[in-house]
Each structure stands twice: as structure tokens, then as C-alpha cells.
Amino acid sequence: MSEKKMMWAGRFSKQIDSRVNDFNSSIPFDCRMFEQDIRGSIAHATMLGKQGIIPQEDAQKIIWGLQAIREDIKTGALPIDMEAEDIHMFVEAELTKRIGTAGKRLHTARSRNDQVALDDRMYVADQIDELVPLVKEFVKTLCEKAQENLHTVMPGYTHLQRAQPVTFAHHLMAYAEMLRRDLARLNDTKDRTLEMPLGSGALASTTYPIDRQMVCDLLGFHQITKNSLDGVSDRDFMIELLSTLSILMMHLSRFSEEVVLWCSWEFKFVELDDAYATGSSIMPQKKNPDITELVRGKTGRVYGDLMTLLTMMKGLPLAYNKDMQEDKEAMFDAIDTAKICLVTVIPMVRTMKVLPENMRKAAAKGFINATDCADYLTKKGVAFRDAYKITGQLVALCIQKNTILEELPLEDYRALSEVFEEDIYQAINLNTCVNGRNVPGGPAPQAVQAHIKDVEKFIEK
Ligand code: ARG
């Protein structure tokens, strides 16, 4: 920071200590927001000119200057000065360097406090626009895989114990449903994020005749913030995004955990494409599902980012406090993490080979048609609790005889209940069990097909 003067140096008689400058500076990370900062400043300058708060020609000079700076940063012609205090100060200083006095008028009727609140909101909204198509693509991929596996019978689990038969399509579509809620949450978050805070000033708004609605419209925000203290000190929208991303990551993590299980020799329900698996440095036979383990691991990171923001905000008196500069790195990290997880998981799922035979084999063990056996009796007039008990005895008999319900002789059935007839074998056939669950939300191919269509329609919207 040697010879350079801070923009606020007027009141100070000494240069800032270089360690304090480094400590205070946010430019190493908020430089990412240069586009948002410039877009916001262009709208602000346009409004200042139109309201006659600054001369029109100065407003025009500012706009052109900012556009040129944006181009130069993008092309690399203008390197961002890491000695600057933050991206806002850097852009303003560069503008003044280029256009002189007009540049010094840009910050009229504005504070960095409402400026950073605006930039944060624009950044979050822009990132939601990038996250939504990724989540949609993942849902689409799940729908595609489900479409191919409408008839792939697999065991459904509770307590990780084989419970009742479902299909792989049905199982995948459960995740599509979770992600559909994530999409709705992202859209909700975006709506609340697009409240335009400029005009809040440092905390108490301004005496200039500004037109907040104009800035709001220019920037495509939905409405203006309603209280200047809240306008500069609200970070709810960011916390909302991070909690939405935490929930999304929790979903990706549960899915990943299942893929890890499915890849194991104990399950072998799927096999990952070689491009999406990794080997071991010592064990030549290994093919590891590292991607999914990393997604599971990185979920903790995103929760941590959310916790950072919640903790950072919880003790802050109104209005702006410098603590809030800490919002950015946590937000960037959570967004980057969610994005990279989605980008990697999508093609992994798309190329994943499903092994229906193994699923079928697993479904054939574990008596997952026992409920259907009890239902068979119930539908023939036996009270459900009695039917339940009889079926339990049949299962015990099968275990004792080392067989399965499908292969137990009819006389064993009839020994326990005269109600059993030859059609019991049809009733407990796994296909019958799945196809019979043809209620909305059920695993029958017809029901899942309708669900896929519904989700696909939602995604097209
Ligand atoms: N770099 C700051 C931040 O990210 C900008 C706001 C600074 N405002 C202030 N009064 N020091 O929060």
C-alpha cells in the first residue's frame, strides 16, 4: 500500500499499516463481482443523469468509461489491482483515472454499503440462473434413466433391509422429486433476492432526489427494498441460497451414498463408466466410486458455509458491519461446490450401466413379497392381522427349509391356511407385486411413466 492514498484518506494523517490493509481488503475475492459492480454502477449513473443529480454528459462519460473497464477486465487488458481495498473502490478509482472529474461524481447518493448489498444480490441472482439449468439437467438425466428402467425390478429398502419390490425407475424418480423441490426453492430465493437496495445509502438513505424504481427496473429487480437499515444489512437472501444449496447437497449426498453401495460387490446393481471411476495405487482390481464419495464429503463443506453466514450475522447490530464482508467467500465456496458436484454427477449417472439381473436376484431374496402374500389372504377375507401372522409363519418355514415363498409347496401354504390356492404363486410373483401398486406415486410402470411425464413437463417450463 506504500505510496497509494486510500479514497477515504481525507480524514487521516497517516498511511494505513500494510498488514491492516491486507487484513481489511476484500479484493482478492470480491474481484469476482466486477460485472455486477459495473452493471449496478451503470444503472446508478443513468439514474443520476436522468434526475439531474449529475450532469447528463458526465453520466454518459461514466457509462462509457465503465463499459470500457468491463471489457478491459474481461480481456485481461486491465489487471485487477490486488492492492485496492475492494472491487468497488478499484472500479471507481480506475474510472476516475480514465475520465477525470466525471468519475468522481459516480458515488453521489450512494454508499459502498448499499452498493455491496446490490452487488451481492445481483451475484446471487446470476448464480441461481446458472444453477437452475444444472439442476434441471440432472432431473432430466434421472428421467431418462428411469424411462429405460420402468420394468427393472429391485428391492426397495427400509433400515437398509429388503422391504418391498420397487423398480429402479421408481427409485430414481424419488430423487427427481427432491430436486424438483430444490428448483422451487431456488426460484423462491431468487424472487426475494431481487429486491433492490440501492438508495439505502450508508444506512439512512439520501437527501438527493433519486429514482429508486428506475434503478430497480433498469436492473431487472422485482421490487425495491422497503427500509434503508434493512436494505444495507440484510443477507437473508444469501443465507437462503446457502440453505437451499445445503438441502440440494444433502440430496446429492444421499444419492451418492446409494451409488457407492450399488457399485459394491455386495450389491453390484450398477457399474460406473471407466471415465467416471478411479483406480487404486496398490490394488489392481479396484474401481472406486470416488466422485460420489467426494460429493458426500463436499456436502459438509456447503453446510459449513451456511453455518459461517448464520454465525457471522447472528450478533450484528443494525446496520452495516464489516463482519459482513465475510459473506462472500462462504457464498462463493458453496456455489462453486454445488456446481462442480452437479457438473460431475450428471454425466456419471448418464453413463452408468444398470445391471437389472443383479437387482432382480437381490429382489428374489429377502421375502420382499411377504406383504403381498398377507394381502392375498386379506383380499380373500382373512383379517389383516391374522394374514400377517400366517405369512410370518410361512417366512419362518422358508428360512428353516432354506427356500423362498415362490418355491414353497402349496401343501405347506395350505397347512397354515385353507384359503391358499394355486393362484398364490401368481400373487407373489415380483412383477405382479410391482404392477399391482398402480396408484399415483406407486412403483407400477404405468404410475412411474405418468410421473416421468409430469416431471419432464415441469422441467420444460
Ligand atoms: N468490501 C466491503 C464488503 O464487502 C464493502 C463495504 C464497505 N463498507 C464500509 N463501510 N467499509 O462488505
Side-chain angles (χ1 to χ4, degrees):
M1 193 35 22
S2 48
E3 288 316 306
K4 232 178 274 168
K5 272 255 167 121
M6 307 304 295
M7 239 179 240
W8 34 256
R11 186 204 186 284
F12 291 77
S13 57
K14 263 189 188 171
Q15 288 282 327
I16 192 170
D17 182 282
S18 72
R19 283 162 300 195
V20 174
N21 187 61
D22 290 347
F23 185 61
N24 195 46
S25 161
S26 54
I27 198 146
F29 47 89
D30 67 17
C31 58
R32 275 203 197 204
M33 305 169 80
F34 78 89
E35 293 228 57
Q36 287 77 17
D37 193 68
I38 291 175
R39 218 193 307 151
S41 288
I42 288 175
H44 180 64
T46 308
M47 182 276 291
L48 291 179
K50 137 114 191 324
Q51 294 296 97
I53 298 169
I54 65 171
Q56 272 288 5
E57 62 267 34
D58 281 357
Q60 196 51 63
K61 273 191 210 157
I62 291 172
I63 293 163
W64 285 331
L66 287 171
Q67 285 167 342
I69 290 172
R70 175 163 57 196
E71 270 325 289
D72 291 349
I73 295 178
K74 272 196 204 157
T75 60
L78 173 62
I80 291 178
D81 176 11
M82 287 300 149
E83 295 272 279
E85 190 179 332
D86 56 30
I87 190 62
H88 325 294
M89 293 300 221
F90 170 74
V91 171
E92 193 187 329
E94 179 64 25
L95 181 70
T96 302
K97 220 196 283 170
R98 292 186 181 198
I99 67 167
T101 307
K104 294 190 196 165
R105 300 200 201 279
L106 169 62
H107 210 51
T108 312
R110 187 175 74 172
S111 154
R112 261 187 305 161
N113 297 349
D114 56 352
Q115 186 179 358
V116 73
L118 180 77
D119 292 4
D120 272 348
R121 286 175 182 271
M122 285 196 284
Y123 192 86
V124 166
D126 288 350
Q127 289 300 316
I128 291 177
D129 286 345
E130 292 186 21
L131 283 157
V132 163
L134 283 174
V135 179
K136 283 188 171 178
E137 202 188 325
F138 189 33
V139 177
K140 239 176 86 189
T141 308
L142 290 170
C143 287
E144 281 159 19
K145 270 269 171 279
Q147 189 64 48
E148 295 162 13
N149 288 283
L150 280 174
H151 301 277
T152 307
V153 174
M154 70 177 274
Y157 296 83
T158 61
H159 315 272
L160 202 59
Q161 301 286 321
R162 290 167 189 158
Q164 289 179 346
V166 294
T167 64
F168 192 53
H170 191 55
H171 198 110
L172 291 179
M173 289 309 289
Y175 286 98
E177 211 44 42
M178 299 175 214
L179 291 161
R180 173 146 75 159
R181 292 192 294 272
D182 293 329
L183 280 170
R185 270 185 283 269
L186 282 171
N187 283 326
D188 282 357
T189 304
K190 188 174 167 191
D191 186 46
R192 270 182 293 275
T193 297
L194 289 176
E195 290 175 14
M196 209 290 297
L198 222 56
S200 301
L203 73 160
S205 80
T206 179
T207 55
Y208 293 95
I210 56 170
D211 182 349
R212 297 191 64 205
Q213 192 56 49
M214 178 184 175
V215 177
C216 177
D217 295 340
L218 283 174
L219 294 173
F221 274 66
H222 295 172
Q223 55 176 307
I224 58 172
T225 55
K226 304 299 189 290
N227 176 291
S228 65
L229 293 168
D230 182 48
V232 288
S233 60
D234 168 26
R235 293 293 180 274
D236 291 6
F237 59 96
M238 203 183 268
I239 293 173
E240 249 187 90
L241 175 66
L242 265 55
S243 70
T244 296
L245 293 181
S246 293
I247 297 173
L248 168 70
M249 288 300 297
M250 178 268 289
H251 293 148
L252 294 185
S253 183
R254 290 184 78 176
F255 180 74
S256 295
E257 165 63 14
E258 301 225 66
V259 173
V260 171
L261 287 173
W262 293 339
C263 286
S264 72
W265 281 104
E266 283 69 16
F267 280 77
K268 262 294 163 248
F269 285 1
V270 300
E271 188 173 343
L272 297 181
D273 188 90
D274 280 359
Y276 297 97
T278 48
S280 152
S281 63
I282 174 173
M283 296 168 282
Q285 85 283 14
K286 289 296 281 288
K287 183 169 171 185
N288 296 328
D290 286 31
I291 292 179
T292 46
E293 292 164 57
L294 273 172
V295 171
R296 210 171 49 187
K298 285 177 188 291
T299 300
R301 242 178 115 124
V302 175
Y303 294 177
D305 294 328
L306 170 63
M307 218 36 77
T308 297
L309 287 198
L310 286 170
T311 311
M312 182 267 282
M313 290 300 290
K314 83 178 184 50
L316 297 188
L318 297 182
Y320 178 84
N321 298 269
K322 191 68 172 230
D323 315 46
M324 290 158 76
Q325 179 167 283
E326 289 290 311
D327 60 357
K328 286 163 211 69
E329 285 162 294
M331 163 180 66
F332 295 152
D333 185 68
I335 294 169
D336 293 350
T337 304
K339 275 179 165 172
I340 188 142
C341 288
L342 285 163
V343 164
T344 323
V345 163
I346 293 165
M348 184 206 76
V349 173
R350 191 169 285 144
T351 55
M352 175 172 92
K353 193 164 138 211
V354 181
L355 303 169
E357 251 101 89
N358 294 347
M359 293 187 185
R360 182 86 199 190
K361 253 184 257 160
K365 296 176 203 153
F367 305 103
I368 62 177
N369 46 7
T371 313
D372 297 85
C373 181
D375 287 342
Y376 169 91
L377 292 172
T378 308
K379 285 172 190 168
K380 292 200 173 198
V382 181
F384 180 75
R385 274 293 155 233
D386 294 332
Y388 176 96
K389 189 168 169 210
I390 293 165
T391 308
Q393 289 166 331
L394 284 167
V395 169
L397 184 65
C398 285
I399 293 170
Q400 190 199 325
K401 292 183 137 191
N402 193 24
T403 186
I404 55 178
L405 288 172
E406 290 90 320
E407 281 159 25
L408 194 68
L410 189 58
E411 57 268 29
D412 283 340
Y413 276 100
R414 290 183 61 88
L416 278 161
S417 169
E418 291 282 301
V419 176
F420 283 116
E421 286 170 83
E422 194 58 45
D423 59 352
I424 177 61
Y425 296 105
Q426 180 53 34
I428 59 168
N429 176 288
L430 291 183
N431 290 335
T432 315
C433 301
V434 168
N435 296 343
R437 288 175 162 77
N438 193 16
V439 299
Q446 229 186 331
V448 176
Q449 182 66 80
H451 182 209
I452 294 173
K453 285 257 149 20
D454 181 56
V455 172
E456 280 173 344
K457 217 165 86 199
F458 172 83
I459 290 300
E460 312 282 84
K461 266 202 306 202

mmCIF file of all heavy atoms in Angstrom, residues 24-27 29-30 85-88 111-113 116 120 235 320-328, ligand 1:
data_model
loop_
_atom_site.group_PDB
_atom_site.id
_atom_site.type_symbol
_atom_site.label_atom_id
_atom_site.label_comp_id
_atom_site.label_asym_id
_atom_site.label_seq_id
_atom_site.Cartn_x
_atom_site.Cartn_y
_atom_site.Cartn_z
ATOM 1 N N ASN A 24 -7.898 -5.934 5.874
ATOM 2 C CA ASN A 24 -9.143 -5.233 5.580
ATOM 3 C C ASN A 24 -9.646 -5.474 4.156
ATOM 4 O O ASN A 24 -10.837 -5.386 3.881
ATOM 5 C CB ASN A 24 -8.875 -3.732 5.769
ATOM 6 C CG ASN A 24 -10.130 -2.914 5.864
ATOM 7 O OD1 ASN A 24 -11.055 -3.281 6.577
ATOM 8 N ND2 ASN A 24 -10.184 -1.812 5.142
ATOM 9 N N SER A 25 -8.706 -5.779 3.295
ATOM 10 C CA SER A 25 -9.008 -5.817 1.872
ATOM 11 C C SER A 25 -9.865 -7.023 1.508
ATOM 12 O O SER A 25 -9.691 -8.127 2.023
ATOM 13 C CB SER A 25 -7.684 -5.870 1.099
ATOM 14 O OG SER A 25 -7.919 -6.336 -0.200
ATOM 15 N N SER A 26 -10.794 -6.808 0.585
ATOM 16 C CA SER A 26 -11.601 -7.941 0.111
ATOM 17 C C SER A 26 -11.393 -8.193 -1.374
ATOM 18 O O SER A 26 -12.001 -9.090 -1.948
ATOM 19 C CB SER A 26 -13.090 -7.699 0.400
ATOM 20 O OG SER A 26 -13.517 -6.469 -0.141
ATOM 21 N N ILE A 27 -10.505 -7.411 -1.988
ATOM 22 C CA ILE A 27 -10.386 -7.541 -3.444
ATOM 23 C C ILE A 27 -9.898 -8.910 -3.921
ATOM 24 O O ILE A 27 -10.333 -9.366 -4.984
ATOM 25 C CB ILE A 27 -9.547 -6.388 -4.077
ATOM 26 C CG1 ILE A 27 -9.839 -6.327 -5.581
ATOM 27 C CG2 ILE A 27 -8.058 -6.552 -3.791
ATOM 28 C CD1 ILE A 27 -9.823 -4.974 -6.177
ATOM 29 N N PHE A 29 -10.965 -11.643 -3.235
ATOM 30 C CA PHE A 29 -12.125 -12.482 -3.544
ATOM 31 C C PHE A 29 -13.279 -11.720 -4.193
ATOM 32 O O PHE A 29 -13.919 -12.233 -5.079
ATOM 33 C CB PHE A 29 -12.594 -13.289 -2.321
ATOM 34 C CG PHE A 29 -12.723 -12.504 -1.037
ATOM 35 C CD1 PHE A 29 -13.903 -11.874 -0.723
ATOM 36 C CD2 PHE A 29 -11.662 -12.423 -0.145
ATOM 37 C CE1 PHE A 29 -14.027 -11.161 0.462
ATOM 38 C CE2 PHE A 29 -11.785 -11.713 1.044
ATOM 39 C CZ PHE A 29 -12.969 -11.082 1.347
ATOM 40 N N ASP A 30 -13.502 -10.432 -3.806
ATOM 41 C CA ASP A 30 -14.682 -9.798 -4.414
ATOM 42 C C ASP A 30 -14.419 -9.308 -5.844
ATOM 43 O O ASP A 30 -15.338 -8.828 -6.514
ATOM 44 C CB ASP A 30 -15.326 -8.732 -3.515
ATOM 45 C CG ASP A 30 -14.474 -7.493 -3.290
ATOM 46 O OD1 ASP A 30 -13.528 -7.279 -4.051
ATOM 47 O OD2 ASP A 30 -14.795 -6.740 -2.344
ATOM 48 N N GLU A 85 -8.700 -1.680 -2.108
ATOM 49 C CA GLU A 85 -9.395 -2.147 -0.903
ATOM 50 C C GLU A 85 -10.460 -3.184 -1.252
ATOM 51 O O GLU A 85 -10.601 -4.201 -0.583
ATOM 52 C CB GLU A 85 -10.021 -0.951 -0.200
ATOM 53 C CG GLU A 85 -10.564 -1.297 1.177
ATOM 54 C CD GLU A 85 -11.163 -0.077 1.861
ATOM 55 O OE1 GLU A 85 -10.727 1.054 1.584
ATOM 56 O OE2 GLU A 85 -12.079 -0.271 2.681
ATOM 57 N N ASP A 86 -11.216 -2.874 -2.263
ATOM 58 C CA ASP A 86 -12.209 -3.858 -2.725
ATOM 59 C C ASP A 86 -12.552 -3.560 -4.184
ATOM 60 O O ASP A 86 -12.057 -2.581 -4.760
ATOM 61 C CB ASP A 86 -13.456 -3.893 -1.825
ATOM 62 C CG ASP A 86 -14.123 -2.534 -1.677
ATOM 63 O OD1 ASP A 86 -14.052 -1.716 -2.615
ATOM 64 O OD2 ASP A 86 -14.740 -2.288 -0.617
ATOM 65 N N ILE A 87 -13.397 -4.370 -4.773
ATOM 66 C CA ILE A 87 -13.694 -4.221 -6.195
ATOM 67 C C ILE A 87 -14.408 -2.887 -6.476
ATOM 68 O O ILE A 87 -14.192 -2.266 -7.518
ATOM 69 C CB ILE A 87 -14.526 -5.430 -6.736
ATOM 70 C CG1 ILE A 87 -14.623 -5.401 -8.268
ATOM 71 C CG2 ILE A 87 -15.916 -5.496 -6.110
ATOM 72 C CD1 ILE A 87 -13.313 -5.519 -9.008
ATOM 73 N N HIS A 88 -15.203 -2.442 -5.513
ATOM 74 C CA HIS A 88 -15.948 -1.182 -5.701
ATOM 75 C C HIS A 88 -14.986 -0.002 -5.819
ATOM 76 O O HIS A 88 -15.118 0.846 -6.700
ATOM 77 C CB HIS A 88 -16.912 -0.957 -4.535
ATOM 78 C CG HIS A 88 -17.502 -2.215 -3.995
ATOM 79 N ND1 HIS A 88 -18.351 -3.005 -4.735
ATOM 80 C CD2 HIS A 88 -17.326 -2.870 -2.808
ATOM 81 C CE1 HIS A 88 -18.683 -4.074 -4.016
ATOM 82 N NE2 HIS A 88 -18.068 -4.010 -2.846
ATOM 83 N N SER A 111 -23.574 4.702 -1.170
ATOM 84 C CA SER A 111 -22.544 4.286 -0.220
ATOM 85 C C SER A 111 -22.059 2.923 -0.670
ATOM 86 O O SER A 111 -22.754 2.215 -1.400
ATOM 87 C CB SER A 111 -23.150 4.197 1.179
ATOM 88 O OG SER A 111 -22.426 3.275 1.976
ATOM 89 N N ARG A 112 -20.884 2.536 -0.204
ATOM 90 C CA ARG A 112 -20.473 1.174 -0.523
ATOM 91 C C ARG A 112 -21.400 0.155 0.150
ATOM 92 O O ARG A 112 -21.491 -0.987 -0.271
ATOM 93 C CB ARG A 112 -19.034 0.931 -0.090
ATOM 94 C CG ARG A 112 -18.053 1.049 -1.241
ATOM 95 C CD ARG A 112 -16.685 0.637 -0.811
ATOM 96 N NE ARG A 112 -16.257 1.387 0.358
ATOM 97 C CZ ARG A 112 -15.273 1.018 1.172
ATOM 98 N NH1 ARG A 112 -14.629 -0.108 0.959
ATOM 99 N NH2 ARG A 112 -14.936 1.764 2.205
ATOM 100 N N ASN A 113 -22.061 0.607 1.202
ATOM 101 C CA ASN A 113 -22.928 -0.337 1.920
ATOM 102 C C ASN A 113 -24.126 -0.770 1.082
ATOM 103 O O ASN A 113 -24.462 -1.953 1.028
ATOM 104 C CB ASN A 113 -23.387 0.263 3.252
ATOM 105 C CG ASN A 113 -22.209 0.529 4.180
ATOM 106 O OD1 ASN A 113 -21.091 0.086 3.902
ATOM 107 N ND2 ASN A 113 -22.447 1.250 5.259
ATOM 108 N N VAL A 116 -22.594 -2.698 -2.080
ATOM 109 C CA VAL A 116 -22.215 -4.105 -1.914
ATOM 110 C C VAL A 116 -23.464 -4.970 -1.729
ATOM 111 O O VAL A 116 -23.518 -6.108 -2.208
ATOM 112 C CB VAL A 116 -21.182 -4.296 -0.773
ATOM 113 C CG1 VAL A 116 -21.808 -4.124 0.595
ATOM 114 C CG2 VAL A 116 -20.518 -5.659 -0.874
ATOM 115 N N ASP A 120 -24.058 -8.061 -4.144
ATOM 116 C CA ASP A 120 -24.307 -9.394 -3.571
ATOM 117 C C ASP A 120 -25.594 -9.992 -4.151
ATOM 118 O O ASP A 120 -25.651 -11.152 -4.537
ATOM 119 C CB ASP A 120 -24.498 -9.300 -2.046
ATOM 120 C CG ASP A 120 -23.168 -9.405 -1.286
ATOM 121 O OD1 ASP A 120 -22.145 -9.772 -1.901
ATOM 122 O OD2 ASP A 120 -23.173 -9.122 -0.068
ATOM 123 N N ARG A 235 -28.789 -9.996 4.779
ATOM 124 C CA ARG A 235 -28.125 -11.024 3.969
ATOM 125 C C ARG A 235 -28.969 -12.302 3.943
ATOM 126 O O ARG A 235 -28.476 -13.380 3.615
ATOM 127 C CB ARG A 235 -26.714 -11.344 4.514
ATOM 128 C CG ARG A 235 -25.700 -10.219 4.386
ATOM 129 C CD ARG A 235 -25.337 -9.898 2.936
ATOM 130 N NE ARG A 235 -24.360 -8.818 2.823
ATOM 131 C CZ ARG A 235 -24.651 -7.528 2.798
ATOM 132 N NH1 ARG A 235 -25.919 -7.134 2.859
ATOM 133 N NH2 ARG A 235 -23.704 -6.612 2.697
ATOM 134 N N TYR A 320 -24.932 -1.785 8.679
ATOM 135 C CA TYR A 320 -23.769 -2.493 8.129
ATOM 136 C C TYR A 320 -22.679 -2.645 9.184
ATOM 137 O O TYR A 320 -22.421 -1.758 9.989
ATOM 138 C CB TYR A 320 -23.198 -1.728 6.924
ATOM 139 C CG TYR A 320 -21.952 -2.392 6.343
ATOM 140 C CD1 TYR A 320 -22.066 -3.427 5.426
ATOM 141 C CD2 TYR A 320 -20.675 -2.002 6.746
ATOM 142 C CE1 TYR A 320 -20.935 -4.057 4.915
ATOM 143 C CE2 TYR A 320 -19.539 -2.621 6.233
ATOM 144 C CZ TYR A 320 -19.674 -3.646 5.318
ATOM 145 O OH TYR A 320 -18.558 -4.266 4.820
ATOM 146 N N ASN A 321 -22.036 -3.774 9.192
ATOM 147 C CA ASN A 321 -20.828 -4.016 9.988
ATOM 148 C C ASN A 321 -19.844 -4.733 9.089
ATOM 149 O O ASN A 321 -20.231 -5.520 8.216
ATOM 150 C CB ASN A 321 -21.135 -4.917 11.189
ATOM 151 C CG ASN A 321 -22.130 -4.274 12.144
ATOM 152 O OD1 ASN A 321 -21.763 -3.580 13.074
ATOM 153 N ND2 ASN A 321 -23.409 -4.513 11.911
ATOM 154 N N LYS A 322 -18.563 -4.499 9.335
ATOM 155 C CA LYS A 322 -17.549 -5.053 8.435
ATOM 156 C C LYS A 322 -17.535 -6.580 8.460
ATOM 157 O O LYS A 322 -17.070 -7.219 7.512
ATOM 158 C CB LYS A 322 -16.170 -4.496 8.785
ATOM 159 C CG LYS A 322 -15.088 -4.799 7.774
ATOM 160 C CD LYS A 322 -15.312 -4.056 6.449
ATOM 161 C CE LYS A 322 -14.126 -4.233 5.532
ATOM 162 N NZ LYS A 322 -13.633 -2.957 4.993
ATOM 163 N N ASP A 323 -18.057 -7.150 9.539
ATOM 164 C CA ASP A 323 -18.168 -8.619 9.580
ATOM 165 C C ASP A 323 -18.779 -9.141 8.282
ATOM 166 O O ASP A 323 -18.471 -10.236 7.813
ATOM 167 C CB ASP A 323 -19.097 -9.095 10.706
ATOM 168 C CG ASP A 323 -18.885 -8.399 12.026
ATOM 169 O OD1 ASP A 323 -18.765 -7.155 12.027
ATOM 170 O OD2 ASP A 323 -18.874 -9.098 13.052
ATOM 171 N N MET A 324 -19.683 -8.335 7.734
ATOM 172 C CA MET A 324 -20.473 -8.791 6.588
ATOM 173 C C MET A 324 -19.637 -8.963 5.323
ATOM 174 O O MET A 324 -20.089 -9.607 4.371
ATOM 175 C CB MET A 324 -21.647 -7.831 6.342
ATOM 176 C CG MET A 324 -22.685 -7.942 7.448
ATOM 177 S SD MET A 324 -23.720 -6.498 7.590
ATOM 178 C CE MET A 324 -24.768 -6.732 6.207
ATOM 179 N N GLN A 325 -18.440 -8.423 5.343
ATOM 180 C CA GLN A 325 -17.545 -8.670 4.206
ATOM 181 C C GLN A 325 -17.214 -10.162 4.108
ATOM 182 O O GLN A 325 -16.855 -10.652 3.039
ATOM 183 C CB GLN A 325 -16.265 -7.835 4.386
ATOM 184 C CG GLN A 325 -15.247 -8.023 3.295
ATOM 185 C CD GLN A 325 -14.167 -6.958 3.337
ATOM 186 O OE1 GLN A 325 -14.377 -5.824 2.928
ATOM 187 N NE2 GLN A 325 -13.006 -7.320 3.858
ATOM 188 N N GLU A 326 -17.350 -10.859 5.230
ATOM 189 C CA GLU A 326 -17.058 -12.301 5.271
ATOM 190 C C GLU A 326 -18.124 -13.131 4.546
ATOM 191 O O GLU A 326 -18.014 -14.349 4.470
ATOM 192 C CB GLU A 326 -16.969 -12.785 6.727
ATOM 193 C CG GLU A 326 -15.734 -12.302 7.468
ATOM 194 C CD GLU A 326 -14.442 -12.948 6.979
ATOM 195 O OE1 GLU A 326 -14.409 -14.181 6.855
ATOM 196 O OE2 GLU A 326 -13.484 -12.209 6.708
ATOM 197 N N ASP A 327 -19.176 -12.470 4.072
ATOM 198 C CA ASP A 327 -20.248 -13.233 3.413
ATOM 199 C C ASP A 327 -19.773 -13.882 2.109
ATOM 200 O O ASP A 327 -20.200 -14.972 1.752
ATOM 201 C CB ASP A 327 -21.487 -12.348 3.142
ATOM 202 C CG ASP A 327 -21.206 -11.143 2.226
ATOM 203 O OD1 ASP A 327 -20.040 -10.942 1.821
ATOM 204 O OD2 ASP A 327 -22.164 -10.398 1.937
ATOM 205 N N LYS A 328 -18.832 -13.188 1.444
ATOM 206 C CA LYS A 328 -18.564 -13.570 0.048
ATOM 207 C C LYS A 328 -17.860 -14.910 -0.128
ATOM 208 O O LYS A 328 -18.274 -15.728 -0.947
ATOM 209 C CB LYS A 328 -17.789 -12.468 -0.650
ATOM 210 C CG LYS A 328 -18.684 -11.284 -0.962
ATOM 211 C CD LYS A 328 -17.911 -10.047 -1.266
ATOM 212 C CE LYS A 328 -18.671 -8.817 -0.844
ATOM 213 N NZ LYS A 328 -18.797 -8.658 0.614
HETATM 214 N N1 ARG B 1 -15.754 -4.592 0.909
HETATM 215 C C1 ARG B 1 -16.892 -4.284 1.712
HETATM 216 C C2 ARG B 1 -17.774 -5.518 1.875
HETATM 217 O O1 ARG B 1 -17.553 -6.452 1.163
HETATM 218 C C3 ARG B 1 -17.665 -3.209 1.071
HETATM 219 C C4 ARG B 1 -18.458 -2.367 2.021
HETATM 220 C C5 ARG B 1 -17.575 -1.500 2.800
HETATM 221 N N2 ARG B 1 -18.286 -0.550 3.569
HETATM 222 C C6 ARG B 1 -17.711 0.033 4.581
HETATM 223 N N3 ARG B 1 -18.438 0.866 5.258
HETATM 224 N N4 ARG B 1 -16.491 -0.205 4.922
HETATM 225 O O2 ARG B 1 -18.627 -5.604 2.709
#
